DNA sequence: TTGAAAGCGCTAACAA
DNA sequence: TTGTTAGCGCTTTCAA
């Protein structure tokens, strides 16, 4: 096994001092070195197959070249495209991604963030935030550049990139009102998540004033999953058989709502309209195809990475909240209330709003 | 911003030499140090909030604590659970995951693997292998411990963890034969992937001898995607209207087949049965629910990580090919040929085979 | 523009 | 069991 060649080997071969070789190989120092010397060094490096040892460089420069990405659960279909967007963007800037999956546990979040700090990450992109996460609060106070994605933390003042849920949910509410619904239920997740709060606030803003007051029922569940959606919908249908539309906090919950409707012998959309949020893969193929709000996942990742890159620079701009445009996607799960739909379902996509 | 404390600070506070402090903090050296000294050092470390600098340690020990995970496309729903399994298992052993997404490009594969090597990863888990990947061939010859997942490389002799596709496909073929199908088509991906080869070989083994010879038609496409599945199925139906069952290389292709059938005015499963492979999320909710082969994704990740951990040790065992049991999942997309199905669809899961 | 010297923080080898 | 010494490979002063 041949020993890996070092900067000394390169220097020796080029007949210069290691420091000179180092400088010749550093693009930032171009111009401060003779082109001839530089060429000789590059040639030597090439011949020896030299690549810099990032560990040694890190030790010296105090820059690790790593960014930590903290996610709640990679199996959540919203996240992979976001992670991809982050990874691509950072890789283009020579930064590598250290992936940490907390499995939705605050304790694991604390541990993993501590480990990422110990590994001297240059920055963090955090998708795990609960509104009151102590770990995130600590990060907000510290000097490790941090950007939140998808989920916000109260009062932390950290930069955030997310879909414009407010506009998306308002567009969805408008769509339902336009169809003539006035007994609408909103099934959502735990209040600890900003996602829950933001979407719920938008629902209230859009529906509280509309038509006969009291037309909106809200139910919280402990997670954004199909089983929880099913349970909430079942309970709802027991109490309030008169609802004409059920808005789910996300697509998985909507799938659970489908089950509860089937259990109750109700048809979607003829008896009850259902809508989701996220537009995850295959929801356009389920029965009925789900009306939902699409969020620009990869773009969210790209923008989060860009925001972090900005903050890694010398003059970090003030924390920015960047909300990317969502899109209302109308499919077959929503229809005019109490009317037997017969013709083909409406398909289409309507912009729901831009950054604000 | 307070300077981070170093081992020297800890040593000074504990009144010992830095080397002693280092030893006291190293669990592997327990017993070779006075318990009293050790306690004093730990106390000092605690008081100062000391955490070792992994960069400096790496430089000295020549171990980075990183494992590179190279995947073709994180947006492919099969992969996230595998990555999770890997990440969890390695994290439990103090190893961090460096994620690299090649976007299915051999060039990016080469570049990213080179970068992971440059970063001194201790090992690699590679899911991008094409059967003849030069990059993977080079890794097989080198001394960087490498484990392949899901996709094998010809003659590289590298350890591999994957689902037992052979058993899974044979079980599926048996299921179709059992229903009475004899005009069966297999739509699959590019021959460069071992996935294609393995599954195709199993299809041949199970179907070539069965019933009237010539009953099997095979078509290759350039990718395992819905549009490709749709195109292949459309072409197939143009040439061979008599097929009674279409076996798709994976679930996404199967979804494309659904579209082609609808385009051709054919019903599934009444006119043509369709089956997939992978059992990705929501294929149980599409219309009709897809019969498919489930693969133990997270388990594959866990075993890949374990195999790598073994090889990181001093006495690496010989390369092992570990195939994990798959499961035939029968849903509503397969039925007896040429019979109008009316009753509820069959649901169930049958073990398809174990490791061999 | 280049060379010399030093040191990032840690731990392995050797000595006591 | 502990201390001493040295050096991992690199880059950045400082001096020429």
């Amino acid at each position: 096994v041949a020993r890996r060649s070092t900067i000394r080997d390169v220097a020796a071969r080029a007949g210069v001092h290691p420091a000179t070789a180092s400088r010749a190989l550093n693009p930032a120092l171009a111009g401060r070195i003779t082109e001839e010397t530089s060429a000789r060094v590059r040639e030597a490096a090439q011949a020896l197959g030299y690549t810099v040892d990032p560990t040694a460089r890190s030790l010296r420069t105090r820059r690790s070249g790593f960014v930590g990405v903290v996610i709640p659960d990679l199996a959540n279909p919203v996240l992979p495209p976001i992670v991809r967007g982050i990874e691509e963007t950072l890789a283009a800037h020579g930064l590598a991604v250290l992936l940490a999956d907390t499995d939705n546990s605050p304790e694991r979040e604390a541990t993993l963030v501590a480990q990422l700090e110990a590994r001297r990450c240059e920055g963090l992109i955090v998708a795990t935030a609960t509104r009151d996460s102590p770990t995130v609060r600590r990060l907000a106070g510290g000097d490790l550049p941090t950007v939140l994605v998808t989920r916000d933390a109260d009062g932390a003042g950290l930069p955030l990139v997310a879909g414009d849920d407010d506009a998306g949910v308002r567009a969805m509410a408008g769509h339902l009102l336009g169809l003539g619904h006035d007994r609408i239920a909103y099934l959502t997740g735990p209040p600890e998540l900003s996602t829950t709060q933001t979407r719920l606030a938008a629902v209230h803003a859009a529906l509280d004033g509309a038509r006969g007051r009291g037309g909106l029922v809200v139910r919280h569940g402990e997670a954004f999953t199909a089983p929880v959606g099913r349970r909430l919908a079942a309970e709802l249908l027991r109490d309030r058989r008169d609802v004409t539309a059920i808005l789910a906090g996300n697509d998985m919950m909507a799938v659970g709502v489908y089950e509860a409707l089937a259990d109750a012998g109700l048809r979607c959309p003829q008896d009850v309209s259902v809508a989701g949020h996220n537009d995850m893969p295959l929801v356009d193929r389920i029965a009925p195809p789900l009306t939902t709000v699409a969020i620009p996942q990869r773009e969210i990742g790209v923008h989060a990475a860009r925001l972090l890159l900005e903050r890694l620079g010398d003059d970090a701009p003030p924390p920015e909240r960047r909300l990317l445009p969502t899109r209302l996607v109308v499919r077959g799960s929503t229809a005019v209330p109490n009317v037997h739909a017969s013709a083909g379902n409406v398909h289409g996509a309507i912009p729901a709003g831009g950054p604000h």
Side-chain angles (χ1 to χ4, degrees), chain A residues 55-141:
Chain A
T55 309
R57 167 180 282 173
S58 290
L59 184 58
R60 183 64 237 238
T61 62
R62 337 221 84 246
R63 301 193 55 218
S64 67
F66 294 125
V67 167
V69 175
V70 186
I71 56 174
D73 177 12
L74 192 58
N76 178 339
V78 200
L79 294 175
I82 294 180
V83 174
R84 274 215 57 172
I86 293 173
E87 202 252 4
E88 286 172 24
T89 310
L90 291 180
H93 290 259
L95 291 168
V97 165
L98 274 175
L99 192 67
D101 191 310
T102 66
D103 201 19
N104 276 305
S105 148
E107 292 75 32
R108 271 186 66 75
E109 179 187 68
T111 309
L112 288 170
V113 166
Q115 282 175 15
L116 292 172
E117 288 179 292
R119 293 211 187 251
R120 306 290 194 271
C121 282
E122 298 184 26
L124 249 41
I125 297 182
V126 176
T128 58
T130 48
R131 297 200 295 137
D132 63 348
S133 162
T135 304
V136 173
R137 197 184 311 284
R138 187 169 61 72
L139 287 171

Side-chain angles (χ1 to χ4, degrees), chain A residues 183-207:
Chain A
R183 299 274 161 197
I184 300 177
Y186 187 60
L187 307 187
T188 182
E192 298 82 55
L193 294 180
S194 68
T195 310
T196 304
Q197 288 303 115
T198 309
R199 296 181 187 178
L200 180 57
V203 167
H204 275 299
L207 297 179

Side-chain angles (χ1 to χ4, degrees), chain A residues 199-221:
Chain A
R199 296 181 187 178
L200 180 57
V203 167
H204 275 299
L207 297 179
D208 275 352
R211 316 273 169 112
R213 294 290 210 122
L216 176 67
V217 191
V218 174
R219 300 280 167 103
H220 287 271

Side-chain angles (χ1 to χ4, degrees), chain A residues 173-261:
Chain A
H175 165 64
L176 293 175
L177 290 176
L179 288 171
H181 291 275
D182 58 355
R183 299 274 161 197
I184 300 177
Y186 187 60
L187 307 187
T188 182
E192 298 82 55
L193 294 180
S194 68
T195 310
T196 304
Q197 288 303 115
T198 309
R199 296 181 187 178
L200 180 57
V203 167
H204 275 299
L207 297 179
D208 275 352
R211 316 273 169 112
R213 294 290 210 122
L216 176 67
V217 191
V218 174
R219 300 280 167 103
H220 287 271
E222 66 278 17
F224 284 101
T225 62
V228 171
R230 181 180 197 162
R231 208 201 67 231
L232 291 180
E235 291 170 6
L236 173 78
L237 292 168
R238 206 170 300 137
D239 307 343
R240 296 285 301 265
R241 193 79 184 200
D242 61 329
V243 295
T244 59
I246 299 180
L247 205 41
N250 78 351
D251 292 345
M252 285 314 298
M253 291 191 105
V255 167
V257 173
Y258 279 8
E259 291 170 345
L261 289 177

